[in-house]
PDB file of all heavy atoms in Angstrom:
ATOM      1  N   ALA A 275       0.375 -17.428 -18.585  1.00  0.00           N
ATOM      2  CA  ALA A 275      -0.287 -18.185 -19.652  1.00  0.00           C
ATOM      3  C   ALA A 275      -0.894 -17.252 -20.697  1.00  0.00           C
ATOM      4  O   ALA A 275      -0.815 -17.518 -21.902  1.00  0.00           O
ATOM      5  CB  ALA A 275      -1.369 -19.098 -19.056  1.00  0.00           C
ATOM      6  N   VAL A 276      -1.494 -16.150 -20.252  1.00  0.00           N
ATOM      7  CA  VAL A 276      -2.070 -15.194 -21.218  1.00  0.00           C
ATOM      8  C   VAL A 276      -0.947 -14.570 -22.044  1.00  0.00           C
ATOM      9  O   VAL A 276      -1.053 -14.414 -23.256  1.00  0.00           O
ATOM     10  CB  VAL A 276      -2.918 -14.110 -20.503  1.00  0.00           C
ATOM     11  CG1 VAL A 276      -3.337 -13.006 -21.471  1.00  0.00           C
ATOM     12  CG2 VAL A 276      -4.149 -14.733 -19.851  1.00  0.00           C
ATOM     13  N   ARG A 277       0.164 -14.258 -21.370  1.00  0.00           N
ATOM     14  CA  ARG A 277       1.325 -13.697 -22.087  1.00  0.00           C
ATOM     15  C   ARG A 277       1.752 -14.607 -23.236  1.00  0.00           C
ATOM     16  O   ARG A 277       2.069 -14.153 -24.333  1.00  0.00           O
ATOM     17  CB  ARG A 277       2.467 -13.476 -21.069  1.00  0.00           C
ATOM     18  CG  ARG A 277       3.803 -13.049 -21.598  1.00  0.00           C
ATOM     19  CD  ARG A 277       3.852 -11.679 -22.249  1.00  0.00           C
ATOM     20  NE  ARG A 277       3.125 -11.666 -23.509  1.00  0.00           N
ATOM     21  CZ  ARG A 277       2.589 -10.602 -24.094  1.00  0.00           C
ATOM     22  NH1 ARG A 277       2.675  -9.421 -23.536  1.00  0.00           N
ATOM     23  NH2 ARG A 277       1.953 -10.714 -25.220  1.00  0.00           N
ATOM     24  N   SER A 278       1.779 -15.931 -22.974  1.00  0.00           N
ATOM     25  CA  SER A 278       2.217 -16.864 -24.017  1.00  0.00           C
ATOM     26  C   SER A 278       1.162 -17.048 -25.097  1.00  0.00           C
ATOM     27  O   SER A 278       1.484 -17.471 -26.194  1.00  0.00           O
ATOM     28  CB  SER A 278       2.505 -18.256 -23.449  1.00  0.00           C
ATOM     29  OG  SER A 278       3.204 -18.172 -22.265  1.00  0.00           O
ATOM     30  N   ALA A 279      -0.088 -16.768 -24.772  1.00  0.00           N
ATOM     31  CA  ALA A 279      -1.168 -17.083 -25.713  1.00  0.00           C
ATOM     32  C   ALA A 279      -1.494 -15.939 -26.670  1.00  0.00           C
ATOM     33  O   ALA A 279      -2.269 -16.114 -27.597  1.00  0.00           O
ATOM     34  CB  ALA A 279      -2.426 -17.477 -24.932  1.00  0.00           C
ATOM     35  N   THR A 280      -0.937 -14.743 -26.420  1.00  0.00           N
ATOM     36  CA  THR A 280      -1.306 -13.594 -27.253  1.00  0.00           C
ATOM     37  C   THR A 280      -0.073 -12.784 -27.623  1.00  0.00           C
ATOM     38  O   THR A 280       0.949 -12.861 -26.929  1.00  0.00           O
ATOM     39  CB  THR A 280      -2.315 -12.681 -26.511  1.00  0.00           C
ATOM     40  OG1 THR A 280      -2.710 -11.597 -27.374  1.00  0.00           O
ATOM     41  CG2 THR A 280      -1.727 -12.090 -25.235  1.00  0.00           C
ATOM     42  N   THR A 281      -0.202 -12.012 -28.698  1.00  0.00           N
ATOM     43  CA  THR A 281       0.862 -11.053 -29.005  1.00  0.00           C
ATOM     44  C   THR A 281       0.453  -9.647 -28.557  1.00  0.00           C
ATOM     45  O   THR A 281       1.222  -8.696 -28.711  1.00  0.00           O
ATOM     46  CB  THR A 281       1.160 -11.027 -30.519  1.00  0.00           C
ATOM     47  OG1 THR A 281      -0.062 -10.768 -31.206  1.00  0.00           O
ATOM     48  CG2 THR A 281       1.736 -12.345 -30.994  1.00  0.00           C
ATOM     49  N   LEU A 282      -0.752  -9.512 -28.038  1.00  0.00           N
ATOM     50  CA  LEU A 282      -1.199  -8.197 -27.556  1.00  0.00           C
ATOM     51  C   LEU A 282      -0.464  -7.827 -26.267  1.00  0.00           C
ATOM     52  O   LEU A 282       0.016  -8.710 -25.551  1.00  0.00           O
ATOM     53  CB  LEU A 282      -2.704  -8.227 -27.256  1.00  0.00           C
ATOM     54  CG  LEU A 282      -3.666  -8.329 -28.429  1.00  0.00           C
ATOM     55  CD1 LEU A 282      -5.099  -8.434 -27.921  1.00  0.00           C
ATOM     56  CD2 LEU A 282      -3.509  -7.123 -29.355  1.00  0.00           C
ATOM     57  N   PRO A 283      -0.420  -6.532 -25.933  1.00  0.00           N
ATOM     58  CA  PRO A 283       0.090  -6.162 -24.611  1.00  0.00           C
ATOM     59  C   PRO A 283      -0.797  -6.775 -23.529  1.00  0.00           C
ATOM     60  O   PRO A 283      -2.019  -6.852 -23.695  1.00  0.00           O
ATOM     61  CB  PRO A 283      -0.033  -4.630 -24.595  1.00  0.00           C
ATOM     62  CG  PRO A 283      -0.227  -4.219 -26.021  1.00  0.00           C
ATOM     63  CD  PRO A 283      -0.845  -5.376 -26.731  1.00  0.00           C
ATOM     64  N   VAL A 284      -0.159  -7.204 -22.446  1.00  0.00           N
ATOM     65  CA  VAL A 284      -0.903  -7.784 -21.320  1.00  0.00           C
ATOM     66  C   VAL A 284      -0.776  -6.847 -20.123  1.00  0.00           C
ATOM     67  O   VAL A 284       0.322  -6.412 -19.762  1.00  0.00           O
ATOM     68  CB  VAL A 284      -0.357  -9.181 -20.956  1.00  0.00           C
ATOM     69  CG1 VAL A 284      -1.026  -9.717 -19.695  1.00  0.00           C
ATOM     70  CG2 VAL A 284      -0.557 -10.154 -22.121  1.00  0.00           C
ATOM     71  N   ALA A 285      -1.922  -6.541 -19.530  1.00  0.00           N
ATOM     72  CA  ALA A 285      -1.940  -5.727 -18.314  1.00  0.00           C
ATOM     73  C   ALA A 285      -2.367  -6.601 -17.144  1.00  0.00           C
ATOM     74  O   ALA A 285      -2.999  -7.643 -17.332  1.00  0.00           O
ATOM     75  CB  ALA A 285      -2.913  -4.559 -18.481  1.00  0.00           C
ATOM     76  N   ALA A 286      -1.996  -6.177 -15.938  1.00  0.00           N
ATOM     77  CA  ALA A 286      -2.455  -6.871 -14.733  1.00  0.00           C
ATOM     78  C   ALA A 286      -2.879  -5.811 -13.730  1.00  0.00           C
ATOM     79  O   ALA A 286      -2.258  -4.740 -13.653  1.00  0.00           O
ATOM     80  CB  ALA A 286      -1.343  -7.735 -14.154  1.00  0.00           C
ATOM     81  N   TYR A 287      -3.932  -6.104 -13.001  1.00  0.00           N
ATOM     82  CA  TYR A 287      -4.473  -5.146 -12.029  1.00  0.00           C
ATOM     83  C   TYR A 287      -4.176  -5.649 -10.626  1.00  0.00           C
ATOM     84  O   TYR A 287      -4.745  -6.646 -10.192  1.00  0.00           O
ATOM     85  CB  TYR A 287      -5.981  -5.004 -12.246  1.00  0.00           C
ATOM     86  CG  TYR A 287      -6.648  -3.804 -11.593  1.00  0.00           C
ATOM     87  CD1 TYR A 287      -7.790  -3.250 -12.174  1.00  0.00           C
ATOM     88  CD2 TYR A 287      -6.185  -3.227 -10.417  1.00  0.00           C
ATOM     89  CE1 TYR A 287      -8.437  -2.152 -11.600  1.00  0.00           C
ATOM     90  CE2 TYR A 287      -6.822  -2.128  -9.849  1.00  0.00           C
ATOM     91  CZ  TYR A 287      -7.948  -1.600 -10.439  1.00  0.00           C
ATOM     92  OH  TYR A 287      -8.591  -0.527  -9.870  1.00  0.00           O
ATOM     93  N   GLN A 288      -3.244  -4.963  -9.958  1.00  0.00           N
ATOM     94  CA  GLN A 288      -3.002  -5.266  -8.540  1.00  0.00           C
ATOM     95  C   GLN A 288      -4.129  -4.553  -7.784  1.00  0.00           C
ATOM     96  O   GLN A 288      -4.121  -3.338  -7.631  1.00  0.00           O
ATOM     97  CB  GLN A 288      -1.634  -4.731  -8.110  1.00  0.00           C
ATOM     98  CG  GLN A 288      -1.291  -5.100  -6.675  1.00  0.00           C
ATOM     99  CD  GLN A 288      -0.044  -4.382  -6.188  1.00  0.00           C
ATOM    100  OE1 GLN A 288       0.072  -3.161  -6.337  1.00  0.00           O
ATOM    101  NE2 GLN A 288       0.879  -5.116  -5.606  1.00  0.00           N
ATOM    102  N   VAL A 289      -5.109  -5.320  -7.335  1.00  0.00           N
ATOM    103  CA  VAL A 289      -6.374  -4.723  -6.889  1.00  0.00           C
ATOM    104  C   VAL A 289      -6.302  -4.189  -5.461  1.00  0.00           C
ATOM    105  O   VAL A 289      -5.304  -4.376  -4.748  1.00  0.00           O
ATOM    106  CB  VAL A 289      -7.545  -5.714  -7.031  1.00  0.00           C
ATOM    107  CG1 VAL A 289      -7.717  -6.119  -8.494  1.00  0.00           C
ATOM    108  CG2 VAL A 289      -7.375  -6.929  -6.130  1.00  0.00           C
ATOM    109  N   SER A 290      -7.405  -3.572  -5.079  1.00  0.00           N
ATOM    110  CA  SER A 290      -7.483  -2.893  -3.785  1.00  0.00           C
ATOM    111  C   SER A 290      -7.095  -3.793  -2.608  1.00  0.00           C
ATOM    112  O   SER A 290      -6.414  -3.358  -1.688  1.00  0.00           O
ATOM    113  CB  SER A 290      -8.897  -2.336  -3.591  1.00  0.00           C
ATOM    114  OG  SER A 290      -9.865  -3.371  -3.691  1.00  0.00           O
ATOM    115  N   GLY A 291      -7.547  -5.055  -2.628  1.00  0.00           N
ATOM    116  CA  GLY A 291      -7.247  -5.954  -1.515  1.00  0.00           C
ATOM    117  C   GLY A 291      -5.764  -6.310  -1.443  1.00  0.00           C
ATOM    118  O   GLY A 291      -5.215  -6.520  -0.357  1.00  0.00           O
TER     119      GLY A 291
END
Side-chain angles (χ1 to χ4, degrees):
V276 171
R277 174 65 291 156
S278 317
T280 183
T281 55
L282 290 176
V284 174
Y287 196 151
Q288 184 189 49
V289 299
S290 57

